[in-house]
Amino acid sequence: MPPPFQKKTKVLPVILSGGVGSRLWPLSREAHPKPFIRLDDNQSLIQKTYLRAASIDGIEEIVTVTNRALFFYTKDEYDEVALAPILRSFILEPFGRNSAAAIGLAAHYAKSKFGNDCILLVLPADHLVEKQDAFMDAINQAMILASDDKLVTFGIRPDTPKTGYGYIEADGHNVLRFVEKPNLDTAQGYLDSGNYFWNSGMFCMCAGTIIEEMHAHCPKIPSQSNICLENAKTSVGASWLLTEISAQDFEKVEDISIDYAIFERSEKVAVVTCDIGWSDIGSWLEFGQLHPLDENNNHISGEAVLEDAQDCILHSEHRMIAGIGLRDLIIADTSDALLVADKSRVQDVRTIVKKLKTQGHKSYEFSPTVYRPWGNYTVLQEGDGFKLKRIEVKPRASLSLQSHAHRSEHWIVVSGVAKVVNHDQILALRHNQSTYIPIGNKHRLENPGDEMLILIEVQCGNYLEETDIIRYNE
């Protein structure tokens, strides 16, 4: 292993968390995207990326560029694994604008705070890296190249002829060309040649270098991203810093990937080729391979009873799957949606998601569990005139004072202590205690304790959508 990077330069990891991962539906949804999928060790992909960045020697701050709507969800994920005293900074986009915009924002943030020589290590939030020592070796090489004014990408040494990845043709650290996703025969040729590598989407460069190259190749992006930061709202917490970009400014930033905008045009590009146990887990094929394997080459997560089933991927969160005579299928079962697909059509899952979106079906966007700043709720069952929810409220958190015009609510505490405002009453409810909230009553739920508050909510009425809510300022 080469000696660690020695230059006394600030290194700033930047986590990009913007993709939905539609090919992993129904696990991944717009409001519960791929970075938040949990693996068998109960860590999410974004938690693993955060810990990977935090493990680098000397790291004092980690920047995450993400959607405004995902801030509290992301913060909660980090809170579970956060390592003090690392500062967690968030640049919040009002909507997605591709990777060039996100990196432009991060580069200007780094430059303004640490100067042109600050090295950015850009990591997608939803990738898996299983060889930590090899990863550290690769980023050590990348930082040396970045300090020499290079824009560094990471090329992953292929072990199979993947058609879902772009490739980099390389000679040592020199990039000869970038190539689009190939067909199977071409991908096999790339694998056989030994000088083509998967384009990982990870990057390393000095803030000043990437801004300079942006001005040369896509000048509107650095200019407008700088304006975005200058006009942004900022706030500070005990261990986090928030920079919120306005929609009016951000809509003027060009929507283009960093590969097309810079890396395929710049003369300063270099590559570090590596074998770091990398996967972008871009489809059910990659995700399924993380599940345990049985004697018939079936990858199974959850409970399954199979007869004459081979080469399948089975994923179930709640129900038992029984299968007979199955071949080369993907079966992914969640509490509200079921996917059955031929393994050879795995890339077409996104087509189903597009159809769901066109039809206005809520399963393209929401999972049964919805996350809020105060905690989360899960719809357990709903029917004509009723809805049943499981609600979790974080310690010291509360919901807004509110009322409903079309529904009443019954709250039953399962665990923890609930402080409830119900019209002119203030109640303290514990396990197996309940309250009834008639239509129109002002009410609020609060968790005054240090443990999670869990309760069951039964709604009854003629309109049970989330839009039936009136909030009151106090």
Side-chain angles (χ1 to χ4, degrees):
M1 194 171 184
F5 178 67
Q6 295 292 336
K7 187 174 180 180
K8 301 297 183 181
T9 300
K10 189 74 174 182
V11 177
L12 185 66
V14 176
I15 298 174
L16 302 185
S17 182
V20 173
S22 59
R23 289 175 295 174
L24 281 173
W25 185 90
L27 272 190
S28 181
R29 320 277 180 102
E30 283 195 4
H32 179 76
K34 178 182 161 192
F36 301 97
I37 292 176
R38 299 220 167 200
L39 304 186
D40 289 342
D41 61 2
N42 202 36
Q43 282 187 350
S44 65
L45 291 171
I46 197 169
Q47 287 177 328
K48 289 181 178 295
T49 304
Y50 173 86
L51 291 172
R52 196 180 311 131
S55 68
I56 301 169
D57 287 342
I59 294 301
E60 298 175 351
E61 179 178 357
I62 295 173
V63 173
T64 302
V65 185
T66 190
N67 188 282
R68 179 188 304 156
L70 296 175
F71 165 63
F72 288 103
Y73 197 177
T74 305
K75 182 177 176 295
D76 286 347
E77 292 291 291
Y78 290 172
D79 284 345
E80 285 189 19
V81 298
L83 303 175
I86 295 176
L87 175 66
R88 289 168 283 155
S89 298
F90 298 87
I91 299 176
L92 302 184
E93 301 174 333
F95 39 77
R97 213 65 173 166
N98 222 314
S99 55
I103 291 173
L105 291 172
H108 279 292
Y109 173 88
K111 178 182 177 181
S112 65
K113 192 169 184 178
F114 303 113
N116 282 322
D117 291 337
C118 176
I119 293 178
L120 305 180
L121 177 63
V122 179
L123 304 172
D126 54 2
H127 291 185
L128 184 64
V129 173
E130 296 186 296
K131 298 179 181 179
Q132 183 67 15
D133 288 345
F135 171 72
M136 298 301 293
D137 181 27
I139 64 171
N140 182 48
Q141 295 180 54
M143 287 189 289
I144 293 171
L145 290 167
S147 67
D148 195 29
D149 211 25
K150 297 294 185 182
L151 304 177
V152 185
T153 185
F154 294 80
I156 306 300
R157 194 167 295 115
D159 54 8
T160 54
K162 296 280 189 181
T163 60
Y165 300 153
Y167 283 72
I168 302 168
E169 185 181 8
D171 180 12
H173 291 310
N174 297 317
V175 173
L176 303 181
R177 63 172 178 145
F178 292 88
V179 293
E180 296 295 331
K181 298 174 183 177
N183 59 35
L184 184 59
D185 289 340
T186 303
Q188 184 63 55
Y190 291 164
L191 178 64
D192 295 339
S193 74
N195 62 335
Y196 283 84
F197 303 85
W198 294 331
N199 189 351
S200 69
M202 300 187 297
F203 307 101
C204 184
M205 59 275 202
C206 288
T209 305
I210 186 63
I211 291 172
E212 178 184 308
E213 289 299 283
M214 282 185 168
H215 277 296
H217 299 287
C218 51
K220 292 182 180 179
I221 291 179
S223 299
Q224 189 59 37
S225 59
N226 192 39
I227 292 171
C228 288
L229 281 178
E230 288 177 347
N231 296 337
K233 296 179 182 178
T234 59
S235 55
V236 181
S239 60
W240 52 268
L241 175 66
L242 198 62
T243 302
E244 188 170 348
I245 307 300
S246 78
Q248 183 178 358
D249 289 333
F250 199 55
E251 68 182 1
K252 299 174 185 177
V253 182
E254 185 179 358
D255 186 344
I256 187 173
S257 75
I258 195 68
D259 298 87
Y260 291 141
I262 299 297
F263 276 78
E264 294 186 11
R265 302 178 184 179
S266 175
E267 298 295 325
K268 295 186 176 182
V269 175
V271 62
V272 170
T273 60
C274 51
D275 176 8
I276 57 176
W278 173 90
S279 173
D280 75 340
I281 315 183
S283 74
W284 276 101
L285 288 181
E286 287 82 16
F287 187 71
Q289 289 172 1
L290 303 177
H291 296 344
L293 190 67
D294 74 2
E295 64 276 8
N296 294 310
N297 204 37
N298 298 301
H299 291 274
I300 302 171
S301 177
E303 189 177 6
V305 176
L306 304 176
E307 175 66 28
D308 187 28
Q310 295 180 5
D311 301 310
C312 294
I313 294 171
L314 306 177
H315 179 95
S316 178
E317 296 182 341
H318 304 286
R319 290 175 288 204
M320 188 269 290
I321 295 176
I324 302 171
L326 307 181
R327 297 289 186 275
D328 296 308
L329 289 181
I330 295 167
I331 299 175
D333 186 33
T334 65
S335 60
D336 69 327
L338 170 67
L339 171 70
V340 180
D342 189 287
K343 285 170 70 175
S344 66
R345 303 289 299 277
V346 68
Q347 301 296 328
D348 293 332
V349 175
R350 63 175 62 181
T351 304
I352 295 294
V353 176
K354 288 179 181 178
K355 288 186 176 182
L356 291 170
K357 189 171 185 178
T358 300
Q359 295 170 8
H361 197 285
K362 62 183 180 181
S363 66
Y364 88 88
E365 183 175 10
F366 296 108
S367 63
T369 299
V370 177
Y371 293 85
R372 294 288 187 253
W374 45 262
N376 67 79
Y377 68 83
T378 302
V379 177
L380 301 176
Q381 189 175 359
E382 57 184 314
D384 187 19
F386 80 94
K387 183 181 288 187
L388 185 66
K389 287 183 175 180
R390 182 183 190 272
I391 297 175
E392 295 187 357
V393 184
K394 294 184 290 188
R396 309 295 177 181
S398 66
L399 285 69
S400 61
L401 183 65
Q402 57 189 255
S403 66
H404 309 293
H406 302 283
R407 71 174 184 255
S408 63
E409 295 177 344
H410 301 253
W411 290 347
I412 305 169
V413 175
V414 175
S415 64
V417 178
K419 180 181 178 182
V420 178
V421 174
N422 186 357
H423 189 48
D424 57 358
Q425 293 182 302
I426 298 178
L427 308 171
L429 303 179
R430 291 173 172 79
H431 171 69
N432 205 29
Q433 294 181 324
S434 63
T435 187
Y436 167 65
I437 302 166
I439 292 175
N441 266 25
K442 290 183 180 180
H443 59 279
R444 178 170 58 205
L445 176 63
E446 180 181 347
N447 180 359
D450 296 322
E451 298 179 357
M452 187 72 78
L453 166 64
I454 301 175
L455 58 85
I456 298 299
E457 176 182 274
V458 182
Q459 301 178 359
C460 294
N462 57 17
Y463 182 76
L464 302 175
E465 297 301 319
E466 296 302 316
T467 51
D468 177 24
I469 185 168
I470 303 168
R471 290 188 171 88
Y472 300 92
N473 295 322
E474 300 175 82

